[in-house]
Amino acid sequence: MFINGEWIQSDNTFAVYNPANGEEIGQVTDGTRDDAKRAIEAAQAAMPGWSALTTYQRSDYLRRAYDLMIERKKELAELMTREQGKPFKAAMAEVQYGADDLLWVAEEVKRSYGETIPSARPDQRFLVQHMPVGVVAAVTPWNYPVSMITRKVAPAIAAGCTIVLKPAEATPLCAIAIFKILEEVGIPAGVVNLVTTHDPAPVGEEFCTNPIVRKLTFTGSTAVGKKLAQDAVPQLKRVSMELGGHAPFIVFDDADPVHAAKGASLVKFLNTGQACISPNRIFVQRSILEPFLAEFENRVAKMKAGNGMEQGVNIGPLVNEAAVKKVHNQVVDAVEKGAKLHAGGKALTEGGLEQGHFYAPTLLSGVTEEMLIYREETFGPVAAVIPFDTQEEVLAMANDTNYGLAAYVYTTNMSRAMRMFEGLQFGMVGINDINPTSAAAPFGGMKESGLGREGAREGLMEYYETKLAGISI
Ligand code: NAD
Protein backbone atom coordinates (compact mmCIF):
# COMPACT_ATOMS: atom_id res chain seq x y z
CA MET A 1 0.00 0.00 0.00
CA PHE A 2 1.07 3.56 -0.53
CA ILE A 3 -0.12 5.93 2.19
CA ASN A 4 1.13 9.45 2.87
CA GLY A 5 4.10 9.00 0.55
CA GLU A 6 5.29 5.72 2.08
CA TRP A 7 5.11 2.14 0.91
CA ILE A 8 3.56 0.03 3.62
CA GLN A 9 3.99 -3.71 3.84
CA SER A 10 2.41 -5.85 6.50
CA ASP A 11 2.71 -9.57 7.25
CA ASN A 12 -0.91 -9.86 6.36
CA THR A 13 -0.92 -10.48 2.62
CA PHE A 14 -3.01 -12.03 -0.14
CA ALA A 15 -1.88 -13.84 -3.26
CA VAL A 16 -2.26 -12.68 -6.86
CA TYR A 17 -2.57 -15.32 -9.59
CA ASN A 18 -2.02 -15.47 -13.33
CA PRO A 19 -5.49 -16.38 -14.72
CA ALA A 20 -3.90 -18.14 -17.71
CA ASN A 21 -2.11 -20.82 -15.67
CA GLY A 22 -3.02 -20.39 -12.01
CA GLU A 23 0.55 -19.49 -11.06
CA GLU A 24 1.01 -17.26 -8.03
CA ILE A 25 2.72 -14.09 -9.24
CA GLY A 26 2.88 -12.05 -6.07
CA GLN A 27 1.80 -11.38 -2.50
CA VAL A 28 0.24 -8.03 -1.71
CA THR A 29 -0.44 -6.28 1.59
CA ASP A 30 -3.99 -6.87 2.75
CA GLY A 31 -5.27 -3.48 3.85
CA THR A 32 -7.98 -2.89 6.42
CA ARG A 33 -10.65 -0.30 7.08
CA ASP A 34 -8.21 1.44 9.44
CA ASP A 35 -5.66 1.71 6.64
CA ALA A 36 -8.34 3.31 4.45
CA LYS A 37 -9.07 5.78 7.26
CA ARG A 38 -5.39 6.69 7.60
CA ALA A 39 -5.09 7.14 3.86
CA ILE A 40 -8.14 9.43 3.82
CA GLU A 41 -6.65 11.50 6.63
CA ALA A 42 -3.34 11.75 4.77
CA ALA A 43 -5.24 12.90 1.68
CA GLN A 44 -7.01 15.54 3.76
CA ALA A 45 -3.72 16.82 5.17
CA ALA A 46 -2.24 17.08 1.67
CA MET A 47 -5.24 18.95 0.20
CA PRO A 48 -4.33 22.57 1.14
CA GLY A 49 -0.79 22.40 -0.28
CA TRP A 50 -1.76 20.52 -3.42
CA SER A 51 -4.79 22.62 -4.28
CA ALA A 52 -2.72 25.80 -3.78
CA LEU A 53 -0.37 24.86 -6.63
CA THR A 54 -1.09 26.39 -10.01
CA THR A 55 -2.67 24.22 -12.67
CA TYR A 56 0.64 24.58 -14.55
CA GLN A 57 2.52 22.98 -11.67
CA ARG A 58 0.04 20.13 -11.30
CA SER A 59 0.01 19.63 -15.05
CA ASP A 60 3.77 19.21 -14.99
CA TYR A 61 3.60 16.22 -12.63
CA LEU A 62 1.04 14.54 -14.90
CA ARG A 63 3.10 15.10 -18.01
CA ARG A 64 6.15 13.58 -16.34
CA ALA A 65 4.06 10.60 -15.24
CA TYR A 66 2.95 10.23 -18.88
CA ASP A 67 6.59 10.17 -20.02
CA LEU A 68 7.49 7.50 -17.46
CA MET A 69 4.49 5.38 -18.38
CA ILE A 70 5.48 5.46 -22.04
CA GLU A 71 9.08 4.63 -21.11
CA ARG A 72 7.80 1.59 -19.16
CA LYS A 73 5.11 0.65 -21.63
CA LYS A 74 6.44 -2.82 -22.39
CA GLU A 75 7.15 -3.64 -18.76
CA LEU A 76 3.67 -2.51 -17.68
CA ALA A 77 2.02 -4.43 -20.52
CA GLU A 78 3.87 -7.63 -19.60
CA LEU A 79 2.77 -7.26 -16.00
CA MET A 80 -0.81 -6.69 -17.14
CA THR A 81 -0.81 -9.79 -19.34
CA ARG A 82 0.49 -11.89 -16.45
CA GLU A 83 -1.92 -10.46 -13.91
CA GLN A 84 -5.06 -9.88 -15.97
CA GLY A 85 -4.58 -12.24 -18.91
CA LYS A 86 -5.21 -10.07 -21.96
CA PRO A 87 -2.95 -10.64 -24.98
CA PHE A 88 0.27 -8.61 -24.87
CA LYS A 89 -0.71 -6.46 -27.87
CA ALA A 90 -3.99 -5.49 -26.19
CA ALA A 91 -2.11 -4.77 -22.97
CA MET A 92 0.25 -2.44 -24.86
CA ALA A 93 -2.80 -0.62 -26.27
CA GLU A 94 -4.29 -0.27 -22.80
CA VAL A 95 -1.08 1.19 -21.33
CA GLN A 96 -1.07 3.74 -24.15
CA TYR A 97 -4.74 4.56 -23.51
CA GLY A 98 -4.05 4.91 -19.78
CA ALA A 99 -1.05 7.16 -20.42
CA ASP A 100 -3.10 9.25 -22.88
CA ASP A 101 -5.40 10.20 -20.02
CA LEU A 102 -2.47 11.68 -18.10
CA LEU A 103 -1.28 13.75 -21.04
CA TRP A 104 -4.70 14.89 -22.21
CA VAL A 105 -5.70 16.03 -18.72
CA ALA A 106 -2.28 17.71 -18.21
CA GLU A 107 -3.02 19.81 -21.28
CA GLU A 108 -6.70 20.45 -20.62
CA VAL A 109 -6.47 21.44 -16.97
CA LYS A 110 -4.75 24.66 -17.99
CA ARG A 111 -8.02 25.61 -19.67
CA SER A 112 -10.22 25.21 -16.59
CA TYR A 113 -11.74 28.59 -17.37
CA GLY A 114 -14.34 30.23 -15.20
CA GLU A 115 -16.96 32.70 -16.39
CA THR A 116 -18.21 36.21 -15.83
CA ILE A 117 -21.95 36.55 -16.08
CA PRO A 118 -23.86 39.78 -16.75
CA SER A 119 -26.09 40.83 -13.87
CA ALA A 120 -29.50 42.54 -14.06
CA ARG A 121 -28.17 45.03 -11.52
CA PRO A 122 -25.83 47.75 -12.77
CA ASP A 123 -23.82 47.67 -9.54
CA GLN A 124 -23.28 43.90 -9.52
CA ARG A 125 -20.86 41.48 -11.18
CA PHE A 126 -20.95 37.70 -11.18
CA LEU A 127 -17.81 35.62 -11.28
CA VAL A 128 -17.71 31.82 -11.57
CA GLN A 129 -14.64 29.81 -10.68
CA HIS A 130 -13.96 26.05 -10.42
CA MET A 131 -12.73 24.69 -7.11
CA PRO A 132 -11.51 21.15 -6.38
CA VAL A 133 -14.25 19.04 -4.88
CA GLY A 134 -12.03 17.76 -2.03
CA VAL A 135 -10.75 14.33 -1.01
CA VAL A 136 -11.72 11.66 -3.55
CA ALA A 137 -12.19 7.94 -2.87
CA ALA A 138 -11.87 5.71 -5.94
CA VAL A 139 -12.64 2.05 -6.61
CA THR A 140 -11.51 0.37 -9.85
CA PRO A 141 -12.10 -2.99 -11.59
CA TRP A 142 -9.72 -5.69 -12.85
CA ASN A 143 -10.67 -5.79 -16.53
CA TYR A 144 -8.73 -2.62 -17.47
CA PRO A 145 -6.36 -2.53 -14.51
CA VAL A 146 -4.23 0.41 -15.70
CA SER A 147 -6.47 2.75 -17.69
CA MET A 148 -9.32 2.66 -15.17
CA ILE A 149 -6.84 4.02 -12.61
CA THR A 150 -5.36 6.87 -14.65
CA ARG A 151 -8.83 7.86 -15.84
CA LYS A 152 -9.69 8.71 -12.23
CA VAL A 153 -6.35 9.79 -10.77
CA ALA A 154 -5.42 12.18 -13.60
CA PRO A 155 -8.49 14.45 -13.52
CA ALA A 156 -8.77 14.27 -9.72
CA ILE A 157 -5.25 15.47 -8.99
CA ALA A 158 -5.18 17.85 -11.95
CA ALA A 159 -8.23 19.62 -10.52
CA GLY A 160 -6.46 19.98 -7.16
CA CYS A 161 -8.11 17.09 -5.32
CA THR A 162 -6.24 14.41 -3.40
CA ILE A 163 -7.20 10.77 -3.76
CA VAL A 164 -7.33 7.34 -2.10
CA LEU A 165 -7.70 4.44 -4.53
CA LYS A 166 -8.69 0.84 -3.92
CA PRO A 167 -7.90 -1.39 -6.91
CA ALA A 168 -9.59 -4.71 -7.65
CA GLU A 169 -8.29 -7.64 -5.60
CA ALA A 170 -7.43 -9.57 -8.80
CA THR A 171 -5.09 -6.85 -10.17
CA PRO A 172 -3.31 -4.93 -7.40
CA LEU A 173 0.14 -5.34 -9.01
CA CYS A 174 -0.77 -3.09 -11.95
CA ALA A 175 -2.05 -0.50 -9.47
CA ILE A 176 1.20 -0.67 -7.50
CA ALA A 177 3.21 -0.16 -10.72
CA ILE A 178 1.19 2.97 -11.58
CA PHE A 179 1.54 4.40 -8.07
CA LYS A 180 5.31 3.79 -8.22
CA ILE A 181 5.34 6.08 -11.26
CA LEU A 182 3.30 8.72 -9.42
CA GLU A 183 5.77 8.50 -6.53
CA GLU A 184 8.80 8.72 -8.81
CA VAL A 185 7.66 11.94 -10.47
CA GLY A 186 7.63 13.51 -7.02
CA ILE A 187 3.94 14.05 -6.35
CA PRO A 188 3.89 15.23 -2.72
CA ALA A 189 3.09 12.83 0.13
CA GLY A 190 -0.61 12.22 0.74
CA VAL A 191 -1.81 13.46 -2.66
CA VAL A 192 -2.18 9.94 -4.09
CA ASN A 193 -2.78 6.97 -1.80
CA LEU A 194 -3.29 3.29 -2.60
CA VAL A 195 -5.05 0.79 -0.35
CA THR A 196 -4.86 -2.82 -1.51
CA THR A 197 -7.15 -5.40 0.08
CA HIS A 198 -8.65 -8.79 -0.65
CA ASP A 199 -11.88 -7.80 1.11
CA PRO A 200 -13.35 -4.66 -0.47
CA ALA A 201 -16.45 -4.19 1.70
CA PRO A 202 -14.90 -2.65 4.86
CA VAL A 203 -12.76 -0.27 2.81
CA GLY A 204 -15.84 0.62 0.75
CA GLU A 205 -17.75 1.37 3.96
CA GLU A 206 -15.01 3.73 5.12
CA PHE A 207 -15.05 5.47 1.73
CA CYS A 208 -18.81 5.98 1.90
CA THR A 209 -19.12 7.03 5.53
CA ASN A 210 -15.97 9.02 6.32
CA PRO A 211 -17.07 12.67 6.21
CA ILE A 212 -13.64 13.76 4.90
CA VAL A 213 -14.38 12.05 1.57
CA ARG A 214 -16.28 14.49 -0.64
CA LYS A 215 -16.45 12.43 -3.79
CA LEU A 216 -16.74 8.76 -4.58
CA THR A 217 -15.80 7.54 -8.04
CA PHE A 218 -16.46 3.90 -8.90
CA THR A 219 -16.02 1.66 -11.91
CA GLY A 220 -17.43 -1.83 -11.69
CA SER A 221 -20.67 -3.75 -11.68
CA THR A 222 -24.07 -2.07 -11.47
CA ALA A 223 -24.95 -4.05 -8.31
CA VAL A 224 -21.91 -2.84 -6.33
CA GLY A 225 -22.19 0.68 -7.79
CA LYS A 226 -25.79 1.00 -6.62
CA LYS A 227 -24.85 -0.15 -3.13
CA LEU A 228 -21.98 2.32 -2.83
CA ALA A 229 -24.08 5.16 -4.27
CA GLN A 230 -26.78 4.44 -1.68
CA ASP A 231 -24.24 4.36 1.13
CA ALA A 232 -22.85 7.72 -0.02
CA VAL A 233 -26.27 9.43 0.06
CA PRO A 234 -26.56 10.29 3.79
CA GLN A 235 -23.55 12.63 3.47
CA LEU A 236 -24.53 13.73 -0.04
CA LYS A 237 -21.11 12.90 -1.38
CA ARG A 238 -20.59 13.59 -5.05
CA VAL A 239 -20.65 10.28 -6.95
CA SER A 240 -19.47 9.17 -10.36
CA MET A 241 -20.46 5.69 -11.45
CA GLU A 242 -19.11 3.79 -14.46
CA LEU A 243 -21.12 0.58 -14.37
CA GLY A 244 -22.12 -2.43 -16.42
CA GLY A 245 -23.23 -2.47 -20.02
CA HIS A 246 -25.26 -4.56 -22.48
CA ALA A 247 -24.35 -3.04 -25.81
CA PRO A 248 -26.55 -3.61 -28.85
CA PHE A 249 -24.64 -4.01 -32.13
CA ILE A 250 -27.02 -3.28 -35.02
CA VAL A 251 -26.28 -4.17 -38.63
CA PHE A 252 -28.63 -2.86 -41.34
CA ASP A 253 -28.84 -4.54 -44.72
CA ASP A 254 -27.38 -1.50 -46.51
CA ALA A 255 -24.06 -2.22 -44.75
CA ASP A 256 -21.47 -4.68 -46.00
CA PRO A 257 -22.15 -7.83 -43.90
CA VAL A 258 -18.52 -8.99 -44.15
CA HIS A 259 -17.15 -5.67 -42.92
CA ALA A 260 -19.77 -5.57 -40.16
CA ALA A 261 -18.98 -9.14 -39.06
CA LYS A 262 -15.31 -8.22 -38.86
CA GLY A 263 -16.12 -5.23 -36.64
CA ALA A 264 -18.57 -7.17 -34.49
CA SER A 265 -16.14 -10.04 -33.89
CA LEU A 266 -13.25 -7.68 -33.08
CA VAL A 267 -15.18 -5.72 -30.47
CA LYS A 268 -17.06 -8.75 -29.10
CA PHE A 269 -13.89 -10.68 -28.32
CA LEU A 270 -11.90 -7.67 -27.15
CA ASN A 271 -10.49 -8.57 -23.72
CA THR A 272 -12.28 -11.95 -24.15
CA GLY A 273 -15.61 -10.14 -23.88
CA GLN A 274 -14.70 -8.70 -20.48
CA ALA A 275 -15.37 -5.09 -21.43
CA CYS A 276 -18.22 -2.87 -20.34
CA ILE A 277 -18.66 -1.79 -23.99
CA SER A 278 -18.78 -5.39 -25.26
CA PRO A 279 -21.72 -6.12 -27.60
CA ASN A 280 -24.16 -8.37 -25.75
CA ARG A 281 -26.84 -8.56 -28.45
CA ILE A 282 -25.92 -8.44 -32.12
CA PHE A 283 -28.97 -7.49 -34.20
CA VAL A 284 -28.67 -8.31 -37.91
CA GLN A 285 -31.26 -7.44 -40.55
CA ARG A 286 -32.75 -10.69 -41.79
CA SER A 287 -31.76 -10.37 -45.47
CA ILE A 288 -28.02 -10.31 -44.64
CA LEU A 289 -28.07 -12.73 -41.75
CA GLU A 290 -26.48 -15.57 -43.71
CA PRO A 291 -23.37 -13.81 -45.06
CA PHE A 292 -22.92 -12.09 -41.69
CA LEU A 293 -22.98 -15.39 -39.78
CA ALA A 294 -20.71 -17.10 -42.34
CA GLU A 295 -18.01 -14.44 -41.97
CA PHE A 296 -18.39 -14.36 -38.19
CA GLU A 297 -18.00 -18.16 -38.06
CA ASN A 298 -14.85 -17.97 -40.20
CA ARG A 299 -13.33 -15.45 -37.86
CA VAL A 300 -14.21 -17.42 -34.72
CA ALA A 301 -12.63 -20.54 -36.25
CA LYS A 302 -9.31 -18.69 -36.60
CA MET A 303 -9.17 -17.48 -33.00
CA LYS A 304 -6.55 -18.87 -30.69
CA ALA A 305 -6.98 -19.06 -26.93
CA GLY A 306 -4.01 -19.19 -24.61
CA ASN A 307 -1.44 -17.34 -22.55
CA GLY A 308 -1.41 -13.73 -23.75
CA MET A 309 2.40 -13.71 -23.90
CA GLU A 310 2.35 -16.31 -26.71
CA GLN A 311 2.43 -15.20 -30.34
CA GLY A 312 -0.89 -15.34 -32.16
CA VAL A 313 -3.08 -15.64 -29.06
CA ASN A 314 -6.12 -13.38 -29.25
CA ILE A 315 -8.38 -14.97 -26.62
CA GLY A 316 -7.09 -14.70 -23.06
CA PRO A 317 -8.52 -16.34 -19.97
CA LEU A 318 -11.56 -15.18 -18.01
CA VAL A 319 -10.90 -13.71 -14.60
CA ASN A 320 -11.84 -16.80 -12.56
CA GLU A 321 -13.83 -20.04 -12.54
CA ALA A 322 -17.01 -18.26 -11.43
CA ALA A 323 -16.86 -16.23 -14.66
CA VAL A 324 -16.45 -19.43 -16.73
CA LYS A 325 -19.52 -20.92 -15.01
CA LYS A 326 -21.61 -17.77 -15.51
CA VAL A 327 -20.78 -17.62 -19.21
CA HIS A 328 -21.46 -21.34 -19.72
CA ASN A 329 -24.76 -21.05 -17.88
CA GLN A 330 -25.90 -18.34 -20.32
CA VAL A 331 -24.90 -20.49 -23.30
CA VAL A 332 -26.65 -23.63 -21.97
CA ASP A 333 -29.76 -21.59 -21.17
CA ALA A 334 -29.84 -20.10 -24.68
CA VAL A 335 -29.37 -23.49 -26.40
CA GLU A 336 -32.05 -25.09 -24.22
CA LYS A 337 -34.44 -22.32 -25.22
CA GLY A 338 -33.80 -22.81 -28.94
CA ALA A 339 -30.68 -20.81 -29.92
CA LYS A 340 -28.38 -22.37 -32.54
CA LEU A 341 -24.77 -22.97 -31.47
CA HIS A 342 -22.40 -22.30 -34.41
CA ALA A 343 -19.10 -22.48 -32.54
CA GLY A 344 -17.64 -22.87 -29.06
CA GLY A 345 -20.04 -23.44 -26.20
CA LYS A 346 -17.60 -25.00 -23.77
CA ALA A 347 -14.79 -24.32 -21.34
CA LEU A 348 -11.32 -25.02 -22.76
CA THR A 349 -9.49 -27.41 -20.51
CA GLU A 350 -6.92 -29.12 -22.73
CA GLY A 351 -3.69 -28.42 -24.59
CA GLY A 352 -1.97 -26.46 -21.84
CA LEU A 353 -5.08 -24.53 -20.85
CA GLU A 354 -6.08 -26.81 -17.97
CA GLN A 355 -4.78 -24.57 -15.19
CA GLY A 356 -6.38 -21.39 -16.61
CA HIS A 357 -9.95 -20.09 -16.84
CA PHE A 358 -10.60 -20.39 -20.57
CA TYR A 359 -13.87 -20.42 -22.49
CA ALA A 360 -14.10 -21.08 -26.22
CA PRO A 361 -15.11 -18.15 -28.43
CA THR A 362 -18.78 -18.86 -28.99
CA LEU A 363 -21.33 -17.89 -31.63
CA LEU A 364 -25.08 -18.25 -31.05
CA SER A 365 -27.87 -17.28 -33.45
CA GLY A 366 -31.62 -17.21 -33.02
CA VAL A 367 -31.32 -15.60 -29.59
CA THR A 368 -34.67 -14.43 -28.16
CA GLU A 369 -35.79 -12.28 -25.27
CA GLU A 370 -36.62 -15.25 -23.01
CA MET A 371 -32.93 -16.13 -22.80
CA LEU A 372 -30.68 -14.95 -19.95
CA ILE A 373 -28.11 -13.59 -22.39
CA TYR A 374 -30.71 -11.19 -23.81
CA ARG A 375 -30.74 -9.24 -20.52
CA GLU A 376 -27.76 -10.25 -18.36
CA GLU A 377 -24.30 -8.83 -18.98
CA THR A 378 -22.23 -11.81 -20.26
CA PHE A 379 -18.68 -10.50 -19.68
CA GLY A 380 -17.30 -13.36 -21.72
CA PRO A 381 -16.57 -14.50 -25.30
CA VAL A 382 -20.12 -15.22 -26.46
CA ALA A 383 -21.67 -13.52 -29.50
CA ALA A 384 -25.48 -13.63 -29.46
CA VAL A 385 -27.07 -12.89 -32.83
CA ILE A 386 -30.70 -11.84 -33.21
CA PRO A 387 -32.47 -11.21 -36.55
CA PHE A 388 -34.67 -8.14 -37.11
CA ASP A 389 -36.83 -6.71 -39.88
CA THR A 390 -37.41 -2.98 -39.45
CA GLN A 391 -35.62 0.06 -38.06
CA GLU A 392 -38.43 0.82 -35.58
CA GLU A 393 -38.41 -2.76 -34.31
CA VAL A 394 -34.64 -2.88 -33.76
CA LEU A 395 -34.56 0.50 -32.03
CA ALA A 396 -37.23 -0.67 -29.58
CA MET A 397 -35.41 -3.97 -28.97
CA ALA A 398 -32.04 -2.24 -28.50
CA ASN A 399 -33.47 0.20 -25.95
CA ASP A 400 -35.28 -2.57 -24.08
CA THR A 401 -32.59 -2.90 -21.39
CA ASN A 402 -31.80 -1.26 -18.07
CA TYR A 403 -28.27 -0.61 -19.31
CA GLY A 404 -27.25 2.33 -21.48
CA LEU A 405 -23.48 2.42 -21.98
CA ALA A 406 -22.32 1.71 -25.56
CA ALA A 407 -24.20 0.89 -28.78
CA TYR A 408 -23.02 0.26 -32.34
CA VAL A 409 -24.74 0.84 -35.69
CA TYR A 410 -23.59 -0.31 -39.11
CA THR A 411 -25.33 1.42 -42.01
CA THR A 412 -24.38 3.41 -45.08
CA ASN A 413 -27.55 5.51 -44.92
CA MET A 414 -26.72 8.86 -43.33
CA SER A 415 -30.19 9.79 -42.17
CA ARG A 416 -30.72 6.32 -40.69
CA ALA A 417 -27.39 6.62 -38.85
CA MET A 418 -28.44 9.99 -37.43
CA ARG A 419 -31.89 8.76 -36.38
CA MET A 420 -30.40 5.73 -34.68
CA PHE A 421 -27.79 7.88 -32.94
CA GLU A 422 -30.52 10.14 -31.60
CA GLY A 423 -32.93 7.31 -30.72
CA LEU A 424 -30.55 4.95 -28.93
CA GLN A 425 -30.62 5.49 -25.16
CA PHE A 426 -26.89 4.89 -24.74
CA GLY A 427 -24.08 7.20 -23.71
CA MET A 428 -21.76 6.23 -26.59
CA VAL A 429 -22.71 5.20 -30.11
CA GLY A 430 -20.19 3.83 -32.59
CA ILE A 431 -21.39 4.41 -36.15
CA ASN A 432 -19.56 2.05 -38.50
CA ASP A 433 -16.94 2.25 -35.75
CA ILE A 434 -16.07 -0.20 -33.03
CA ASN A 435 -13.97 2.02 -30.80
CA PRO A 436 -15.83 5.19 -29.81
CA THR A 437 -13.36 5.81 -26.98
CA SER A 438 -10.40 8.14 -26.43
CA ALA A 439 -8.93 10.25 -23.64
CA ALA A 440 -10.48 13.21 -25.47
CA ALA A 441 -14.02 11.74 -25.67
CA PRO A 442 -16.59 11.58 -22.84
CA PHE A 443 -17.06 7.98 -21.68
CA GLY A 444 -20.07 6.93 -19.65
CA GLY A 445 -23.55 5.57 -19.52
CA MET A 446 -27.22 6.37 -19.25
CA LYS A 447 -29.83 4.51 -17.17
CA GLU A 448 -28.27 1.89 -14.86
CA SER A 449 -24.91 2.07 -16.64
CA GLY A 450 -23.88 5.00 -14.54
CA LEU A 451 -23.73 8.60 -13.51
CA GLY A 452 -21.31 11.17 -14.90
CA ARG A 453 -18.58 10.85 -17.51
CA GLU A 454 -14.89 10.05 -17.57
CA GLY A 455 -12.34 11.37 -20.02
CA ALA A 456 -12.68 14.61 -21.96
CA ARG A 457 -13.67 17.93 -20.46
CA GLU A 458 -16.71 16.37 -18.78
CA GLY A 459 -14.47 13.94 -16.93
CA LEU A 460 -12.32 16.73 -15.56
CA MET A 461 -15.32 18.81 -14.50
CA GLU A 462 -16.52 15.91 -12.31
CA TYR A 463 -13.73 16.86 -9.87
CA TYR A 464 -14.68 20.52 -9.60
CA GLU A 465 -17.29 22.40 -7.65
CA THR A 466 -18.71 25.47 -9.33
CA LYS A 467 -18.25 28.52 -7.10
CA LEU A 468 -19.99 31.83 -7.63
CA ALA A 469 -19.06 35.27 -6.38
CA GLY A 470 -21.74 37.98 -6.51
CA ILE A 471 -19.90 41.27 -6.19
CA SER A 472 -21.41 44.70 -5.45
CA ILE A 473 -19.28 47.43 -6.92
P1 NAD B 1 -17.23 -5.49 -9.24
O1 NAD B 1 -18.33 -4.52 -9.03
O2 NAD B 1 -17.36 -6.82 -8.64
O3 NAD B 1 -15.86 -4.92 -8.68
C1 NAD B 1 -15.40 -3.63 -9.03
C2 NAD B 1 -14.62 -3.06 -7.89
O4 NAD B 1 -15.51 -2.92 -6.79
C3 NAD B 1 -13.47 -3.94 -7.39
O5 NAD B 1 -12.41 -3.11 -7.01
C4 NAD B 1 -14.05 -4.61 -6.16
O6 NAD B 1 -13.09 -4.96 -5.22
C5 NAD B 1 -14.92 -3.50 -5.64
N1 NAD B 1 -15.99 -3.90 -4.73
C6 NAD B 1 -16.76 -5.00 -4.76
N2 NAD B 1 -17.62 -4.99 -3.72
C7 NAD B 1 -17.37 -3.86 -3.03
C8 NAD B 1 -17.92 -3.28 -1.85
N3 NAD B 1 -18.90 -3.86 -1.16
N4 NAD B 1 -17.40 -2.09 -1.43
C9 NAD B 1 -16.41 -1.48 -2.10
N5 NAD B 1 -15.86 -1.99 -3.21
C10 NAD B 1 -16.34 -3.16 -3.67
O7 NAD B 1 -17.01 -5.53 -10.80
P2 NAD B 1 -15.89 -6.32 -11.58
O8 NAD B 1 -16.36 -7.71 -11.77
O9 NAD B 1 -14.55 -6.12 -11.00
O10 NAD B 1 -15.87 -5.53 -12.95
C11 NAD B 1 -16.72 -5.84 -13.96
C12 NAD B 1 -17.86 -4.85 -14.04
O11 NAD B 1 -17.33 -3.53 -14.24
C13 NAD B 1 -18.73 -5.09 -15.25
O12 NAD B 1 -20.08 -4.96 -14.90
C14 NAD B 1 -18.31 -4.00 -16.22
O13 NAD B 1 -19.28 -3.68 -17.17
C15 NAD B 1 -17.99 -2.88 -15.30
N6 NAD B 1 -17.10 -1.90 -15.93
C16 NAD B 1 -17.61 -0.69 -16.28
C17 NAD B 1 -16.81 0.24 -16.90
C18 NAD B 1 -17.35 1.58 -17.28
O14 NAD B 1 -16.54 2.48 -17.53
N7 NAD B 1 -18.66 1.78 -17.33
C19 NAD B 1 -15.47 -0.05 -17.18
C20 NAD B 1 -14.97 -1.30 -16.82
C21 NAD B 1 -15.81 -2.22 -16.18
Side-chain angles (χ1 to χ4, degrees):
M1 294 187 295
F2 188 63
I3 299 177
N4 204 19
E6 278 178 34
W7 287 101
I8 294 167
Q9 271 167 335
S10 82
D11 293 338
N12 214 0
T13 59
F14 63 100
V16 183
Y17 299 97
N18 181 336
N21 55 23
E23 242 171 52
E24 185 181 312
I25 55 170
Q27 286 281 337
V28 172
T29 294
D30 197 6
T32 61
R33 183 168 181 165
D34 270 352
D35 294 317
K37 187 162 178 277
R38 273 192 308 124
I40 291 166
E41 285 163 2
Q44 183 186 34
M47 219 14 241
W50 183 248
S51 58
L53 296 183
T54 65
T55 53
Y56 283 79
Q57 289 169 309
R58 292 197 296 263
S59 166
D60 223 35
Y61 286 108
L62 289 176
R63 202 185 33 73
R64 293 212 301 271
Y66 167 83
D67 289 341
L68 253 191
M69 247 181 109
I70 295 299
E71 218 178 284
R72 293 195 190 152
K73 192 169 170 184
K74 202 161 158 253
E75 197 181 306
L76 287 166
E78 271 173 18
L79 174 64
M80 195 192 304
T81 296
R82 286 205 301 144
E83 188 180 38
Q84 194 273 335
K86 71 185 58 172
F88 178 69
K89 206 172 138 202
M92 288 285 277
E94 184 186 336
V95 176
Q96 181 66 53
Y97 183 42
D100 285 349
D101 272 317
L102 296 169
L103 185 60
W104 196 88
V105 169
E107 292 163 343
E108 185 64 13
V109 71
K110 297 174 189 165
R111 300 177 190 87
S112 298
Y113 303 137
E115 249 187 321
T116 58
I117 298 173
S119 166
R121 275 175 32 206
D123 66 339
Q124 189 185 42
R125 302 291 180 270
F126 286 127
L127 168 78
V128 173
Q129 208 169 301
H130 303 300
M131 312 295 287
V133 91
V135 171
V136 174
V139 178
T140 52
W142 49 266
N143 62 340
Y144 285 86
V146 162
S147 58
M148 295 300 103
I149 292 178
T150 52
R151 208 153 74 163
K152 296 187 187 307
V153 171
I157 67 174
C161 301
T162 55
I163 189 166
V164 181
L165 186 133
K166 189 207 80 60
E169 47 278 28
T171 55
L173 299 177
C174 281
I176 290 169
I178 295 300
F179 273 70
K180 287 225 160 96
I181 288 175
L182 299 174
E183 178 198 21
E184 275 179 53
V185 299
I187 292 176
V191 173
V192 291
N193 304 274
L194 177 70
V195 178
T196 48
T197 179
H198 91 284
D199 180 11
V203 171
E205 271 165 36
E206 188 63 26
F207 282 2
C208 292
T209 57
N210 190 320
I212 296 170
V213 173
R214 288 318 314 151
K215 178 177 173 86
L216 178 71
T217 171
F218 173 81
T219 301
S221 61
T222 294
V224 174
K226 279 184 183 175
K227 185 198 170 329
L228 295 181
Q230 269 165 9
D231 292 352
V233 163
Q235 294 175 0
L236 287 182
K237 294 185 196 304
R238 304 283 175 269
V239 292
S240 292
M241 293 280 152
E242 294 285 347
L243 308 178
H246 203 278
F249 191 108
I250 302 166
V251 187
F252 285 100
D253 62 7
D254 55 48
D256 173 2
V258 172
H259 180 63
K262 177 182 174 195
S265 65
L266 283 172
V267 62
K268 176 64 244 184
F269 297 112
L270 181 74
N271 208 13
T272 315
Q274 302 172 112
C276 50
I277 60 167
S278 189
N280 228 103
R281 293 175 298 162
I282 300 173
F283 297 101
V284 182
Q285 207 156 13
R286 210 175 294 273
S287 57
I288 55 160
L289 192 57
E290 239 174 74
F292 179 91
L293 285 171
E295 176 63 19
F296 207 108
E297 247 184 79
N298 279 340
R299 291 186 161 267
V300 170
K302 288 187 199 132
M303 286 177 181
K304 185 175 167 206
N307 187 323
M309 289 311 293
E310 282 167 24
Q311 276 291 329
V313 162
N314 40 25
I315 296 285
L318 293 178
V319 62
N320 53 32
E321 258 335 274
V324 174
K325 284 206 176 83
K326 182 188 169 193
V327 168
H328 189 57
N329 186 39
Q330 284 193 3
V331 173
V332 169
D333 168 81
V335 172
E336 273 174 13
K337 290 176 182 159
K340 180 173 171 195
L341 180 68
H342 296 254
K346 57 179 195 310
L348 296 173
T349 53
E350 288 166 7
L353 304 182
E354 21 314 78
Q355 303 305 320
H357 313 296
F358 289 93
Y359 199 82
T362 298
L363 175 62
L364 295 169
S365 69
V367 167
T368 58
E369 67 171 312
E370 297 74 40
M371 301 172 188
L372 285 176
I373 199 164
Y374 196 91
R375 304 228 169 258
E376 264 186 15
E377 189 179 24
T378 304
F379 237 57
V382 183
V385 175
I386 302 157
F388 74 92
D389 294 302
T390 69
Q391 185 174 322
E392 294 67 35
E393 177 198 13
V394 77
L395 184 60
M397 287 198 289
N399 284 335
D400 180 23
T401 166
N402 292 336
Y403 292 109
L405 193 60
Y408 307 86
V409 180
Y410 271 61
T411 177
T412 51
N413 179 323
M414 183 66 191
S415 65
R416 170 177 271 167
M418 212 50 215
R419 287 195 194 285
M420 290 300 289
F421 169 66
E422 289 172 2
L424 283 164
Q425 294 157 0
F426 293 81
M428 296 168 282
V429 183
I431 298 172
N432 302 316
D433 190 287
I434 54 166
N435 187 15
T437 65
S438 144
F443 188 109
M446 298 181 181
K447 295 177 167 173
E448 294 188 12
S449 284
L451 284 174
R453 293 293 180 268
E454 287 192 324
R457 195 163 172 70
E458 283 88 340
L460 179 58
M461 293 313 290
E462 299 267 336
Y463 295 90
Y464 281 123
E465 288 282 10
T466 296
K467 198 162 187 181
L468 169 81
I471 309 161
S472 279
I473 58 168

